[in-house]
Amino acid sequence: MPFKKPHHTAESSFVTKVGGRYEIKPRGLNIVWGNDSRYWKIPDQGNAELIQVSWLEVSGVANDVERNKKYTVTFHVKIKEDGFGWNGTEVLVMAKVGKKGKYDYKVATLTPGASLSIPIEKLEITVPQDATDRDLYFGLYEVWSGKWKGGLEIISAEVVPIN
C-alpha cells in the first residue's frame, strides 16, 4: 500500500496571476494535515474547511514578484457559527521575500460567525531592487497555543501590488 502524505501540497493550477495580482484558491495552498479528512475537507472547488487541528499552518507562494514593488498579503476566511478554539487565540499572517528573507507579520483575531479578510491592518511586503529570489512566501499560522480549533473556512488568499 503506497504511503499517503498527510499534508496537502499546493497545486499551481489553483493560482491565478492577472496584472501582477495573485489569487490563490484553497487547493493552491500548502495545508498542514490537509490530506487527512479527520482534520480538513479540501474540495476541488470551493472553500477548504478546517475540521480540527491544534497546529494551524496554511502557506503559499507568489512566484516571480516584481522588484522594487510593494505587495499586500491577505487571507479571506470565514469562521462558522460553531467554530471553536478561536476566543483569545491570535493568528499570524506572515510573509517574506525569498527563502532566506526575514518574515514580517500582522496579528489577527477570528470570531465565530464572521467572514473577514485578515489581517485587518494591511501586511505590506517590499521586494528589494536587488532581490535575486523573487518568490514571496506567505502563510496563516497558529501553532503556539496548543488549543484545538475548528470551523475555519479558507476562501482564498491574495497577493496584490500596491505601487
Side-chain angles (χ1 to χ4, degrees), residues 91-162:
V91 297
L92 270 60
V93 177
M94 302 173 70
K96 68 179 180 176
V97 176
K99 283 209 183 254
K100 295 182 179 180
K102 183 178 182 231
Y103 274 108
D104 194 4
Y105 67 92
K106 295 290 181 185
V107 177
T109 55
L110 305 177
T111 305
S115 293
L116 61 157
S117 298
I118 56 173
I120 302 299
E121 181 185 336
K122 293 208 179 294
L123 174 58
E124 296 179 359
I125 301 296
T126 301
V127 182
Q129 179 66 40
D130 61 351
T132 54
D133 181 350
R134 293 184 298 135
D135 291 341
L136 192 152
Y137 296 89
F138 62 92
L140 175 65
Y141 303 93
E142 199 297 298
V143 299
W144 302 274
S145 74
K147 289 182 185 177
W148 283 89
K149 48 210 149 284
L152 170 69
E153 292 185 12
I154 306 288
I155 300 165
S156 66
E158 64 181 2
V159 176
V160 178
I162 57 173

Side-chain angles (χ1 to χ4, degrees), residues 19-77:
R21 178 184 182 272
Y22 298 78
E23 182 180 12
I24 303 97
K25 296 295 184 187
R27 293 195 72 84
L29 297 166
N30 298 302
I31 301 176
V32 169
W33 301 114
N35 276 346
D36 191 322
S37 61
R38 295 175 297 176
Y39 304 115
W40 284 91
K41 288 182 190 171
I42 306 175
D44 287 338
Q45 299 296 320
N47 302 346
E49 181 183 344
L50 170 62
I51 307 303
Q52 63 175 357
V53 294
S54 64
W55 182 280
L56 176 68
E57 184 174 336
V58 178
S59 62
V61 63
N63 296 115
D64 203 28
V65 292
E66 290 185 49
R67 289 182 181 97
N68 208 30
K69 272 204 179 262
K70 259 187 195 175
Y71 289 82
T72 61
V73 176
T74 308
F75 279 87
H76 303 287
V77 300

